[in-house]
Amino acid sequence: MSCSWGTELWDQFDNLEKHTSWGIDFLERYSKFIKERADIELSYAKQIRSLSKKYHPKRSREDESRYTWCLAFAATLQQLNELAVQREELAENLNTQIACELTRYTQEVKTERKTHFQDGRRAQQHIESSWKQLESSKRRFERDCKEAERAQQVSDRIDLDNKTDGEKARQTAQQKKQAAEESRKEYVTSLNQFNQDQHQHYHTLVPVIYQRIQDMEERRIERICEAMRSSAEAERKVLPVVSRCLDVMMDASEGIQPRMDTQQVVEVYKSGFDPPGDVEFEDYSATMRRSISESSYLDNRTEGRRHSRKLWPFIRKNKGSGPADCSHLPPEQRRKKLQTRINNINEEIQREREQRDALLKMREVYERSPQMGDAGSLEPRLDEVKQSLQRLDEELRRNQAWLSEADSRLSDHSSRRQSGGCGLNSQAMTPGSSSLKQLDNRSPASRESPDGSYTEDHSAELHFKSRSSEFDDDFDDEEPLPSIGTCKSLYPFQGQNEGTLSMVEGELLSVVEEDKGDGWTRVRRNLEEEGYVPTSYIKVFLDASAKGAMTYI
C-alpha cells in the first residue's frame, strides 16, 4: 500500500515535526548504544587478555610441557587470548563502521530536517498571509456596503423633505456606492488570489515538502536497519574464529590422559633404587663386655639419637649443581638427565654442521666469483665453528661414556635384584656367625651397603655427601671425640668428598665413632685428620678387646 504524507497528513505539520524529532533522538540513542556496546566488547577483551596473561606461566617450566592437563590448560589460555583478539576486532568494527557513521549521518539528517521544516513554515506563513489579506478585504467590503446602504436611506428621506439637501445626500450615497463597488472588486480579487494560493499550498507545496520529509524519514529508518544488520554481520564474522577456538579448547580437554600423566610422574621421579632391606639385628650384649663406662655408652646412644639414622637412598640431597657426570642423582634420574643432555648436544652439533656447510658453500661461491665477496673473510668464522664442533664432540663422547656407565650400573643392580643376592639382607646375621666371616673375606667389588646398592667405586660415597654435611659442624665447633678403639683398613679407599678420609690398605686408625647403621665409621689419623670411611673396608678393634676378639664389619 502506497501512501503519501503530503496527501494523507496535509494538516499534521506539528505532529510530523514532533515525530521526526523523536526519530532523530532515537538515531542518537542507537548510536550511543553501539558505542557503549563497543566499549563493553573492548573491556571484555582486555579482561580476557589480562586473565589469560595472569594464569599463563611466568617462565617456561619443564613440568608445563610434560603433563597433558598442563598442555590443555596452556592451549585454553592461548585460545582465550585469541578470543580477546576477536572481541577487540568486533569492538573496532562497531566503533569505526557503525557508531562513527551513525554520528555523521545524524548531523546530516538534522540539517536536512531543519531545511524541510523551514520550507514548510514559509509556505504556512504565505497561506496565512493570503488569508489575512482576504479577511481584510472582506471586512472592508462589508463595511462599505453597510455605509452605502445607510447613505441611500438618508438620501431617500431628505428627498421627501428638502430638495436642496436631497441632492447633496444623493451625491454622498453615490460615492458610498462606488466605494462599496471598489471594495467588492478588491474582495473578489483577494478571494481569487487566496483560493489560488490555497490550492497551490495544499496540492503543490505541502505534498512536495512533506514528501521530502517522508523520504528523509525512510532513509533514517533504512540507515538504522543497515546499522543493525552491520552490527550482526560484524559479530557473525568473528563467530567462525570463536567456534574454532572453542573447538581447540574441546580438543585440548579431550586430550587429557590421566593414566599417561600418572605414568609420566613415574618417569620423572623414579630413582632406580631398590627399597631398603630388612634391618639387621644389632647385638648390644657384646657391648657389655667392653671396657667402656656406662656414661660413655649412654653418651654414644644419645649422640646416635641426635643424628637420626637415615637409610640410604633417603638421605638429604646436597645443595648446589652437583658434579658434571650427574653422579649425585639417583641412577634412573641420572640416566634421563644424561640422555637429555646428549640429545641437546646432538641438536647443537646439527646446527653447527648446517652453519659450517653454509659457510663452505659461500666460500666456494666467493672463490668462483671474487666480485661477490672475499673468501678469506669467512675463515675466522669457519675456525670458530670447527672449534665449537670439536668441543661438542668431546662433550658428547664424555656424556655418552657417563651414560654407558649409568646403564651398566642399572643393569648390574637389576641383575642383583632379580637374583635376590642382597648381601647382608639375604641372611639373618648374628655376631660371630660364619656369614660375618665370609663378609670379611669378600673383595671390594662385591661389598654392598645394607640396602644392597653399595659398591667399591666412587659412587659408593656419593650418598655420604649428604650425611657428611650434617656433621660438618661437629668437626669445627665440638671438642675432639675420645678414641673408643682402633681399626685396620682391609682395602684402599680414596675419600674424594668432604668429610671422608682416604686410607691405604693395612693402615691403622683410631675409631672415634661407631657405625650408626648407615655403613660409615668415623676415624682419626694422628690426632689431626678425621673423617668417615666405609665400615666394610675396615676391621674394628674396640678397646675392650684390643687383641681382636670382637670384630665389626
Side-chain angles (χ1 to χ4, degrees):
M1 182 178 70
S2 176
C3 60
S4 174
W5 286 7
T7 57
E8 303 294 337
L9 302 176
W10 60 270
D11 58 345
Q12 300 297 321
F13 181 84
D14 293 338
N15 288 331
L16 289 180
E17 188 174 17
K18 292 178 182 179
H19 177 79
T20 53
S21 176
W22 174 75
I24 291 178
D25 290 341
F26 179 85
L27 187 62
E28 291 178 333
R29 275 200 312 134
Y30 187 74
S31 301
K32 187 177 180 181
F33 162 78
I34 293 295
K35 289 180 180 179
E36 290 184 2
R37 184 186 173 189
D39 293 339
I40 290 174
E41 293 289 348
L42 186 60
S43 176
Y44 174 72
K46 289 181 179 179
Q47 291 178 11
I48 288 294
R49 187 186 300 277
S50 176
L51 181 67
S52 176
K53 183 179 180 180
K54 176 181 178 181
Y55 284 94
H56 199 276
K58 296 297 185 296
R59 54 182 178 274
S60 178
R61 289 184 55 188
E62 188 176 356
D63 291 343
E64 297 290 340
S65 60
R66 180 179 291 125
Y67 302 109
T68 57
W69 47 274
C70 291
L71 295 175
F73 184 58
T76 300
L77 294 177
Q78 183 178 359
Q79 296 308 312
L80 277 179
N81 194 65
E82 182 62 26
L83 287 177
V85 173
Q86 298 304 313
R87 290 298 170 184
E88 289 175 343
E89 182 178 349
L90 175 60
E92 181 69 18
N93 292 336
L94 291 176
N95 264 325
T96 58
Q97 299 180 7
I98 301 177
C100 293
E101 287 296 321
L102 285 178
T103 301
R104 181 188 60 79
Y105 179 71
T106 300
Q107 298 300 322
E108 293 179 358
V109 171
K110 285 182 177 181
T111 302
E112 183 180 359
R113 175 182 175 277
K114 182 178 179 180
T115 301
H116 293 329
F117 279 95
Q118 284 177 349
D119 293 341
R121 287 190 182 91
R122 282 194 294 267
Q124 190 71 23
Q125 290 172 359
H126 177 73
I127 195 64
E128 289 176 356
S129 175
S130 181
W131 170 256
K132 289 179 181 180
Q133 186 176 358
L134 175 62
E135 286 292 318
S136 176
S137 62
K138 179 181 177 181
R139 285 193 299 270
R140 186 163 51 252
F141 173 61
E142 181 181 8
R143 184 184 69 246
D144 289 347
C145 287
K146 289 181 179 179
E147 289 179 355
E149 184 178 359
R150 284 195 302 271
Q152 185 63 37
Q153 290 177 356
V154 171
S155 175
D156 291 344
R157 285 197 306 269
I158 292 178
D159 285 342
L160 295 176
D161 299 335
N162 188 348
K163 293 183 179 180
T164 303
D165 294 334
E167 184 66 24
K168 185 176 180 180
R170 282 195 298 271
Q171 291 179 357
T172 302
Q174 187 64 30
Q175 291 177 355
K176 293 293 184 182
K177 187 177 181 180
Q178 290 178 355
E181 185 63 23
E182 290 177 0
S183 297
R184 187 186 70 81
K185 290 180 181 179
E186 183 180 354
Y187 171 63
V188 171
T189 302
S190 298
L191 179 62
N192 292 332
Q193 183 64 39
F194 174 76
N195 289 333
Q196 182 181 356
D197 291 342
Q198 181 176 252
H199 184 274
Q200 184 181 10
H201 177 79
Y202 289 111
H203 293 84
T204 303
L205 294 178
V206 169
V208 170
I209 294 173
Y210 284 16
Q211 185 62 43
R212 292 174 182 172
I213 296 174
Q214 182 179 359
D215 294 340
M216 177 196 70
E217 181 68 8
E218 290 178 355
R219 288 196 303 272
R220 180 191 67 81
I221 298 173
E222 181 64 27
R223 183 58 64 95
I224 292 176
C225 174
E226 291 178 0
M228 292 182 178
R229 187 185 304 112
S230 298
S231 64
E233 186 65 27
E235 188 160 8
R236 179 179 292 178
K237 285 182 180 180
V238 304
L239 287 181
V241 180
V242 172
S243 179
R244 286 196 296 271
C245 293
L246 296 177
D247 290 340
V248 173
M249 292 182 187
M250 289 292 295
D251 294 340
S253 64
E254 292 174 358
I256 297 177
Q257 301 182 21
R259 179 57 59 85
M260 180 184 295
D261 289 338
T262 54
Q263 292 177 353
Q264 187 66 29
V265 175
V266 175
E267 293 296 324
V268 173
Y269 296 109
K270 181 180 178 182
S271 66
F273 291 135
D274 290 337
D278 296 338
V279 178
E280 300 177 17
F281 173 75
E282 299 182 27
D283 189 359
Y284 287 101
S285 61
T287 310
M288 294 186 298
R289 295 193 296 271
R290 303 175 189 172
S291 58
I292 303 175
S293 65
E294 182 178 359
S295 60
S296 176
Y297 172 75
L298 293 176
D299 291 343
N300 289 335
R301 291 295 303 273
T302 304
E303 181 69 16
R305 285 193 297 269
R306 185 170 65 89
H307 300 292
S308 59
R309 181 166 54 89
K310 296 183 180 181
L311 293 178
W312 192 76
F314 303 107
I315 58 177
R316 186 167 56 189
K317 295 182 180 178
N318 287 328
K319 296 181 180 179
S321 59
D325 61 354
C326 302
S327 57
H328 63 294
L329 297 175
E332 186 70 21
Q333 299 303 316
R334 181 192 183 195
R335 184 186 65 80
K336 292 179 182 178
K337 183 73 172 180
L338 291 173
Q339 185 62 56
T340 302
R341 188 185 294 174
I342 289 173
N343 294 337
N344 293 336
I345 294 174
N346 284 328
E347 293 176 0
E348 191 172 353
I349 288 176
Q350 182 63 28
R351 289 194 296 269
E352 292 292 335
R353 287 176 178 174
E354 291 175 356
Q355 188 173 8
R356 180 195 61 188
D357 295 341
L359 290 172
L360 290 175
K361 290 181 181 180
M362 187 179 297
R363 186 175 67 178
E364 293 178 2
V365 172
Y366 287 172
E367 289 175 350
R368 289 195 301 267
S369 304
Q371 68 275 8
M372 297 184 66
D374 183 13
S377 62
L378 301 177
E379 292 299 329
R381 180 56 184 159
L382 282 171
D383 293 339
E384 182 180 348
V385 172
K386 182 178 179 181
Q387 293 176 3
S388 178
L389 283 173
Q390 292 177 352
R391 176 182 58 80
L392 290 173
D393 288 337
E394 293 176 359
E395 188 174 354
L396 178 63
R397 287 193 298 269
R398 185 166 59 253
N399 282 275
Q400 286 175 342
W402 291 336
L403 179 61
S404 299
E405 177 188 356
D407 289 338
S408 63
R409 290 183 180 178
L410 278 174
S411 177
D412 295 342
H413 188 61
S414 178
S415 299
R416 290 197 304 271
R417 182 178 180 183
Q418 293 175 0
S419 63
C422 292
L424 296 175
N425 293 329
S426 62
Q427 304 177 29
M429 295 297 178
T430 56
S433 65
S434 60
S435 58
L436 288 177
K437 297 179 180 179
Q438 293 172 2
L439 185 62
D440 288 337
N441 296 327
R442 286 185 299 178
S443 64
S446 65
R447 295 188 177 274
E448 300 175 344
S449 64
D451 65 344
S453 57
Y454 179 83
T455 56
E456 61 90 18
D457 56 8
H458 297 318
S459 65
E461 58 178 302
L462 288 176
H463 73 276
F464 171 75
K465 292 181 67 177
S466 62
R467 184 181 186 275
S468 63
S469 64
E470 298 177 4
F471 301 104
D472 287 342
D473 294 338
D474 294 344
F475 292 106
D476 299 332
D477 302 331
E478 297 182 0
E479 293 294 329
L481 294 175
S483 175
I484 61 174
T486 60
C487 67
K488 180 180 180 181
S489 60
L490 303 177
Y491 312 101
F493 172 71
Q494 295 295 327
Q496 297 182 351
N497 292 326
E498 184 179 1
T500 60
L501 183 66
S502 300
M503 61 184 180
V504 297
E505 184 178 355
E507 185 177 1
L508 293 177
L509 302 169
S510 299
V511 177
V512 295
E513 185 179 318
E514 295 180 74
D515 187 352
K516 300 298 183 180
D518 53 6
W520 296 87
T521 300
R522 188 170 176 179
V523 299
R524 181 188 298 135
R525 176 191 296 122
N526 299 330
L527 297 176
E528 295 179 356
E529 300 180 62
E530 188 174 310
Y532 287 91
V533 296
T535 305
S536 58
Y537 275 45
I538 60 174
K539 180 177 290 188
V540 178
F541 305 97
L542 297 178
D543 289 344
S545 53
K547 295 181 179 180
M550 181 64 66
T551 305
Y552 282 84
I553 305 300

